[in-house]
Amino acid sequence: MQRIGTSAVVERTLKHAADGAISGEHVDAIVRGLNQIGLRAGEAPTAETWAEFEGDLLAQVLSGAKPAEVMARAHQLGDHHSSDTEGGRPAKEDRNLNALDIGRTDDGRVAVSGSLDVVVGEKLATAIEKLSAPVPQPDGSKDPREAPRRRADALEMVLDMAADAGERSVTALPAALINLSVPADAPDKSALAFGGSITHSTLLETSCDGVVVMTIVDGERVPLDMGRSKRLFTASQRRALFERDRCCIKCGAPASRTQAHHIAHWSDGGATDLANGCLLCASCHADVHHNGWDVYMGPDAHPWLIPPEVVDRRRRPIPAYNRRFADELPNAA
């Protein structure tokens, strides 16, 4: 794997920085992005190829991209380049680099550390996320556990499930489904929910895995139609809503804690399809039904919120949470 320095490879970037056209944070993002491309390459890119990569990332910056978006673009470029070079494979997809260490701390606790490829990591993250949702107390109060403690408890549950298998094969255990989105017109830009973009070769390998749910999406990451109309949203339609909304559209609560809401109510003739559905947690669902909040489907094929007058006298539309705070969500970078 190749790592670059800050020499002539980023000469144009440094000139723009000297002129004040781009910030130091963006320079850092371009340099780190080029290093990420190098880590994914099976053989060193030529000087001309490095120049093309720098030009691409610089164009992203000059068009208004944030540093995180520059890094995401670098990951894509690196993935594409690794597929085109002999021996190339993204570091995050190389299972030969997987490692897991279990040791003891000075006070006798168990310390766990490791490095996993993106597919194994996706399975782990999905299982932990599914089992680590906050659980209200018997009196209705909030779960007192912080997120790290809930994740540790979730890991224990995973281990208990394996132990409870008894004499059964481990393959008999219920698998945690992982979600893979595949753009209909650009399958080379496929991405895992937690792990982000993957190469086409890993897409083909992963799509054969029985624990993977593949969702075909259009250019706006809106899932294509996946189910037939009926009163309750089907499991396929809910997965499609998860892919598009990613969380409660109002407050950002995890998708696993949301309900599927009919934008035009079923009783008023609303259909049960993706264009008439969105994700809302129980509290925000109540706000929509009882406290004056409205939802409509925007021209971008994503849901928008309209607050009541007590919140905003002008009732100005608000994008869904995942559109407002994309950088805060797991696979945004």
PDB file of all heavy atoms in Angstrom, residues 286-307:
ATOM      1  N   ALA A 286     -46.828  11.170  18.081  1.00  0.00           N
ATOM      2  CA  ALA A 286     -47.916  11.820  18.802  1.00  0.00           C
ATOM      3  C   ALA A 286     -47.986  13.303  18.465  1.00  0.00           C
ATOM      4  O   ALA A 286     -49.074  13.882  18.338  1.00  0.00           O
ATOM      5  CB  ALA A 286     -47.744  11.616  20.301  1.00  0.00           C
ATOM      6  N   ASP A 287     -46.808  13.951  18.306  1.00  0.00           N
ATOM      7  CA  ASP A 287     -46.799  15.370  17.935  1.00  0.00           C
ATOM      8  C   ASP A 287     -47.484  15.597  16.594  1.00  0.00           C
ATOM      9  O   ASP A 287     -48.208  16.581  16.404  1.00  0.00           O
ATOM     10  CB  ASP A 287     -45.354  15.884  17.851  1.00  0.00           C
ATOM     11  CG  ASP A 287     -44.756  16.187  19.215  1.00  0.00           C
ATOM     12  OD1 ASP A 287     -45.534  16.300  20.174  1.00  0.00           O
ATOM     13  OD2 ASP A 287     -43.522  16.294  19.305  1.00  0.00           O
ATOM     14  N   VAL A 288     -47.253  14.684  15.659  1.00  0.00           N
ATOM     15  CA  VAL A 288     -47.853  14.819  14.333  1.00  0.00           C
ATOM     16  C   VAL A 288     -49.362  14.609  14.397  1.00  0.00           C
ATOM     17  O   VAL A 288     -50.137  15.309  13.736  1.00  0.00           O
ATOM     18  CB  VAL A 288     -47.189  13.844  13.344  1.00  0.00           C
ATOM     19  CG1 VAL A 288     -47.963  13.772  12.036  1.00  0.00           C
ATOM     20  CG2 VAL A 288     -45.750  14.265  13.073  1.00  0.00           C
ATOM     21  N   HIS A 289     -49.782  13.657  15.202  1.00  0.00           N
ATOM     22  CA  HIS A 289     -51.213  13.353  15.260  1.00  0.00           C
ATOM     23  C   HIS A 289     -51.994  14.317  16.153  1.00  0.00           C
ATOM     24  O   HIS A 289     -53.184  14.547  15.923  1.00  0.00           O
ATOM     25  CB  HIS A 289     -51.421  11.922  15.758  1.00  0.00           C
ATOM     26  CG  HIS A 289     -51.233  10.880  14.702  1.00  0.00           C
ATOM     27  ND1 HIS A 289     -52.207  10.591  13.759  1.00  0.00           N
ATOM     28  CD2 HIS A 289     -50.182  10.080  14.417  1.00  0.00           C
ATOM     29  CE1 HIS A 289     -51.765   9.635  12.952  1.00  0.00           C
ATOM     30  NE2 HIS A 289     -50.537   9.311  13.332  1.00  0.00           N
ATOM     31  N   HIS A 290     -51.326  14.889  17.169  1.00  0.00           N
ATOM     32  CA  HIS A 290     -52.091  15.635  18.172  1.00  0.00           C
ATOM     33  C   HIS A 290     -51.603  17.049  18.454  1.00  0.00           C
ATOM     34  O   HIS A 290     -52.348  17.842  19.039  1.00  0.00           O
ATOM     35  CB  HIS A 290     -52.108  14.863  19.502  1.00  0.00           C
ATOM     36  CG  HIS A 290     -52.597  13.458  19.388  1.00  0.00           C
ATOM     37  ND1 HIS A 290     -53.904  13.146  19.060  1.00  0.00           N
ATOM     38  CD2 HIS A 290     -51.938  12.275  19.549  1.00  0.00           C
ATOM     39  CE1 HIS A 290     -54.039  11.820  19.036  1.00  0.00           C
ATOM     40  NE2 HIS A 290     -52.866  11.273  19.325  1.00  0.00           N
ATOM     41  N   ASN A 291     -50.384  17.390  18.074  1.00  0.00           N
ATOM     42  CA  ASN A 291     -49.822  18.678  18.508  1.00  0.00           C
ATOM     43  C   ASN A 291     -49.510  19.641  17.367  1.00  0.00           C
ATOM     44  O   ASN A 291     -48.675  20.537  17.513  1.00  0.00           O
ATOM     45  CB  ASN A 291     -48.557  18.439  19.340  1.00  0.00           C
ATOM     46  CG  ASN A 291     -48.856  17.690  20.622  1.00  0.00           C
ATOM     47  OD1 ASN A 291     -49.925  17.866  21.220  1.00  0.00           O
ATOM     48  ND2 ASN A 291     -47.924  16.848  21.059  1.00  0.00           N
ATOM     49  N   GLY A 292     -50.155  19.458  16.233  1.00  0.00           N
ATOM     50  CA  GLY A 292     -50.083  20.461  15.183  1.00  0.00           C
ATOM     51  C   GLY A 292     -48.951  20.348  14.195  1.00  0.00           C
ATOM     52  O   GLY A 292     -48.820  21.186  13.295  1.00  0.00           O
ATOM     53  N   TRP A 293     -48.079  19.341  14.336  1.00  0.00           N
ATOM     54  CA  TRP A 293     -47.019  19.145  13.350  1.00  0.00           C
ATOM     55  C   TRP A 293     -47.575  18.444  12.122  1.00  0.00           C
ATOM     56  O   TRP A 293     -48.397  17.521  12.232  1.00  0.00           O
ATOM     57  CB  TRP A 293     -45.891  18.306  13.942  1.00  0.00           C
ATOM     58  CG  TRP A 293     -45.030  19.044  14.912  1.00  0.00           C
ATOM     59  CD1 TRP A 293     -45.292  19.285  16.226  1.00  0.00           C
ATOM     60  CD2 TRP A 293     -43.776  19.665  14.637  1.00  0.00           C
ATOM     61  NE1 TRP A 293     -44.293  20.014  16.800  1.00  0.00           N
ATOM     62  CE2 TRP A 293     -43.329  20.262  15.848  1.00  0.00           C
ATOM     63  CE3 TRP A 293     -42.977  19.780  13.503  1.00  0.00           C
ATOM     64  CZ2 TRP A 293     -42.130  20.960  15.936  1.00  0.00           C
ATOM     65  CZ3 TRP A 293     -41.775  20.465  13.597  1.00  0.00           C
ATOM     66  CH2 TRP A 293     -41.364  21.050  14.797  1.00  0.00           C
ATOM     67  N   ASP A 294     -47.150  18.874  10.936  1.00  0.00           N
ATOM     68  CA  ASP A 294     -47.568  18.247   9.681  1.00  0.00           C
ATOM     69  C   ASP A 294     -46.356  17.705   8.945  1.00  0.00           C
ATOM     70  O   ASP A 294     -45.227  18.190   9.130  1.00  0.00           O
ATOM     71  CB  ASP A 294     -48.298  19.247   8.784  1.00  0.00           C
ATOM     72  CG  ASP A 294     -49.651  19.656   9.349  1.00  0.00           C
ATOM     73  OD1 ASP A 294     -50.342  18.783   9.905  1.00  0.00           O
ATOM     74  OD2 ASP A 294     -49.996  20.853   9.249  1.00  0.00           O
ATOM     75  N   VAL A 295     -46.599  16.714   8.101  1.00  0.00           N
ATOM     76  CA  VAL A 295     -45.547  16.127   7.269  1.00  0.00           C
ATOM     77  C   VAL A 295     -46.028  16.118   5.830  1.00  0.00           C
ATOM     78  O   VAL A 295     -47.206  15.854   5.561  1.00  0.00           O
ATOM     79  CB  VAL A 295     -45.221  14.687   7.708  1.00  0.00           C
ATOM     80  CG1 VAL A 295     -44.100  14.102   6.845  1.00  0.00           C
ATOM     81  CG2 VAL A 295     -44.827  14.639   9.182  1.00  0.00           C
ATOM     82  N   TYR A 296     -45.139  16.446   4.903  1.00  0.00           N
ATOM     83  CA  TYR A 296     -45.473  16.307   3.488  1.00  0.00           C
ATOM     84  C   TYR A 296     -44.254  15.786   2.739  1.00  0.00           C
ATOM     85  O   TYR A 296     -43.118  15.893   3.219  1.00  0.00           O
ATOM     86  CB  TYR A 296     -45.958  17.633   2.895  1.00  0.00           C
ATOM     87  CG  TYR A 296     -44.873  18.648   2.632  1.00  0.00           C
ATOM     88  CD1 TYR A 296     -44.293  18.782   1.367  1.00  0.00           C
ATOM     89  CD2 TYR A 296     -44.430  19.493   3.652  1.00  0.00           C
ATOM     90  CE1 TYR A 296     -43.304  19.715   1.134  1.00  0.00           C
ATOM     91  CE2 TYR A 296     -43.441  20.431   3.422  1.00  0.00           C
ATOM     92  CZ  TYR A 296     -42.884  20.543   2.160  1.00  0.00           C
ATOM     93  OH  TYR A 296     -41.895  21.467   1.932  1.00  0.00           O
ATOM     94  N   MET A 297     -44.480  15.187   1.582  1.00  0.00           N
ATOM     95  CA  MET A 297     -43.389  14.670   0.768  1.00  0.00           C
ATOM     96  C   MET A 297     -42.918  15.763  -0.178  1.00  0.00           C
ATOM     97  O   MET A 297     -43.700  16.288  -0.971  1.00  0.00           O
ATOM     98  CB  MET A 297     -43.841  13.437  -0.017  1.00  0.00           C
ATOM     99  CG  MET A 297     -42.694  12.671  -0.654  1.00  0.00           C
ATOM    100  SD  MET A 297     -41.514  11.979   0.545  1.00  0.00           S
ATOM    101  CE  MET A 297     -42.536  10.780   1.381  1.00  0.00           C
ATOM    102  N   GLY A 298     -41.630  16.120  -0.071  1.00  0.00           N
ATOM    103  CA  GLY A 298     -41.099  17.210  -0.864  1.00  0.00           C
ATOM    104  C   GLY A 298     -40.755  16.801  -2.287  1.00  0.00           C
ATOM    105  O   GLY A 298     -40.756  15.615  -2.635  1.00  0.00           O
ATOM    106  N   PRO A 299     -40.414  17.762  -3.126  1.00  0.00           N
ATOM    107  CA  PRO A 299     -40.033  17.461  -4.516  1.00  0.00           C
ATOM    108  C   PRO A 299     -38.749  16.648  -4.617  1.00  0.00           C
ATOM    109  O   PRO A 299     -38.458  16.076  -5.669  1.00  0.00           O
ATOM    110  CB  PRO A 299     -39.867  18.853  -5.144  1.00  0.00           C
ATOM    111  CG  PRO A 299     -39.614  19.767  -3.991  1.00  0.00           C
ATOM    112  CD  PRO A 299     -40.389  19.201  -2.843  1.00  0.00           C
ATOM    113  N   ASP A 300     -37.968  16.594  -3.501  1.00  0.00           N
ATOM    114  CA  ASP A 300     -36.747  15.791  -3.486  1.00  0.00           C
ATOM    115  C   ASP A 300     -37.023  14.340  -3.108  1.00  0.00           C
ATOM    116  O   ASP A 300     -36.095  13.554  -2.915  1.00  0.00           O
ATOM    117  CB  ASP A 300     -35.729  16.390  -2.517  1.00  0.00           C
ATOM    118  CG  ASP A 300     -36.275  16.517  -1.092  1.00  0.00           C
ATOM    119  OD1 ASP A 300     -37.476  16.220  -0.885  1.00  0.00           O
ATOM    120  OD2 ASP A 300     -35.516  16.919  -0.198  1.00  0.00           O
ATOM    121  N   ALA A 301     -38.327  13.973  -3.007  1.00  0.00           N
ATOM    122  CA  ALA A 301     -38.756  12.621  -2.660  1.00  0.00           C
ATOM    123  C   ALA A 301     -38.366  12.234  -1.235  1.00  0.00           C
ATOM    124  O   ALA A 301     -38.230  11.052  -0.926  1.00  0.00           O
ATOM    125  CB  ALA A 301     -38.243  11.591  -3.662  1.00  0.00           C
ATOM    126  N   HIS A 302     -38.178  13.227  -0.372  1.00  0.00           N
ATOM    127  CA  HIS A 302     -37.916  13.004   1.048  1.00  0.00           C
ATOM    128  C   HIS A 302     -38.992  13.730   1.852  1.00  0.00           C
ATOM    129  O   HIS A 302     -39.514  14.771   1.413  1.00  0.00           O
ATOM    130  CB  HIS A 302     -36.539  13.530   1.452  1.00  0.00           C
ATOM    131  CG  HIS A 302     -35.413  12.654   1.013  1.00  0.00           C
ATOM    132  ND1 HIS A 302     -34.873  11.681   1.811  1.00  0.00           N
ATOM    133  CD2 HIS A 302     -34.729  12.604  -0.153  1.00  0.00           C
ATOM    134  CE1 HIS A 302     -33.887  11.068   1.171  1.00  0.00           C
ATOM    135  NE2 HIS A 302     -33.781  11.604  -0.027  1.00  0.00           N
ATOM    136  N   PRO A 303     -39.333  13.231   3.058  1.00  0.00           N
ATOM    137  CA  PRO A 303     -40.354  13.900   3.869  1.00  0.00           C
ATOM    138  C   PRO A 303     -39.843  15.205   4.467  1.00  0.00           C
ATOM    139  O   PRO A 303     -38.657  15.325   4.805  1.00  0.00           O
ATOM    140  CB  PRO A 303     -40.660  12.867   4.969  1.00  0.00           C
ATOM    141  CG  PRO A 303     -39.428  12.029   5.062  1.00  0.00           C
ATOM    142  CD  PRO A 303     -38.865  11.966   3.676  1.00  0.00           C
ATOM    143  N   TRP A 304     -40.734  16.177   4.614  1.00  0.00           N
ATOM    144  CA  TRP A 304     -40.458  17.467   5.246  1.00  0.00           C
ATOM    145  C   TRP A 304     -41.479  17.686   6.357  1.00  0.00           C
ATOM    146  O   TRP A 304     -42.600  17.165   6.302  1.00  0.00           O
ATOM    147  CB  TRP A 304     -40.560  18.610   4.234  1.00  0.00           C
ATOM    148  CG  TRP A 304     -39.429  18.678   3.254  1.00  0.00           C
ATOM    149  CD1 TRP A 304     -39.104  17.747   2.312  1.00  0.00           C
ATOM    150  CD2 TRP A 304     -38.471  19.726   3.125  1.00  0.00           C
ATOM    151  NE1 TRP A 304     -38.004  18.140   1.599  1.00  0.00           N
ATOM    152  CE2 TRP A 304     -37.588  19.362   2.075  1.00  0.00           C
ATOM    153  CE3 TRP A 304     -38.268  20.945   3.783  1.00  0.00           C
ATOM    154  CZ2 TRP A 304     -36.531  20.183   1.677  1.00  0.00           C
ATOM    155  CZ3 TRP A 304     -37.216  21.758   3.390  1.00  0.00           C
ATOM    156  CH2 TRP A 304     -36.357  21.373   2.345  1.00  0.00           C
ATOM    157  N   LEU A 305     -41.098  18.467   7.363  1.00  0.00           N
ATOM    158  CA  LEU A 305     -41.973  18.768   8.501  1.00  0.00           C
ATOM    159  C   LEU A 305     -42.433  20.223   8.440  1.00  0.00           C
ATOM    160  O   LEU A 305     -41.680  21.108   8.009  1.00  0.00           O
ATOM    161  CB  LEU A 305     -41.231  18.542   9.812  1.00  0.00           C
ATOM    162  CG  LEU A 305     -40.851  17.095  10.139  1.00  0.00           C
ATOM    163  CD1 LEU A 305     -39.532  17.061  10.880  1.00  0.00           C
ATOM    164  CD2 LEU A 305     -41.934  16.432  10.949  1.00  0.00           C
ATOM    165  N   ILE A 306     -43.656  20.471   8.880  1.00  0.00           N
ATOM    166  CA  ILE A 306     -44.158  21.833   9.039  1.00  0.00           C
ATOM    167  C   ILE A 306     -44.542  22.004  10.508  1.00  0.00           C
ATOM    168  O   ILE A 306     -45.443  21.323  11.001  1.00  0.00           O
ATOM    169  CB  ILE A 306     -45.379  22.105   8.144  1.00  0.00           C
ATOM    170  CG1 ILE A 306     -45.010  21.911   6.670  1.00  0.00           C
ATOM    171  CG2 ILE A 306     -45.902  23.514   8.380  1.00  0.00           C
ATOM    172  CD1 ILE A 306     -46.166  22.131   5.720  1.00  0.00           C
ATOM    173  N   PRO A 307     -43.857  22.877  11.250  1.00  0.00           N
ATOM    174  CA  PRO A 307     -44.148  23.032  12.675  1.00  0.00           C
ATOM    175  C   PRO A 307     -45.454  23.787  12.904  1.00  0.00           C
ATOM    176  O   PRO A 307     -45.906  24.532  12.029  1.00  0.00           O
ATOM    177  CB  PRO A 307     -42.945  23.837  13.183  1.00  0.00           C
ATOM    178  CG  PRO A 307     -42.496  24.613  11.988  1.00  0.00           C
ATOM    179  CD  PRO A 307     -42.758  23.735  10.801  1.00  0.00           C
TER     180      PRO A 307
END
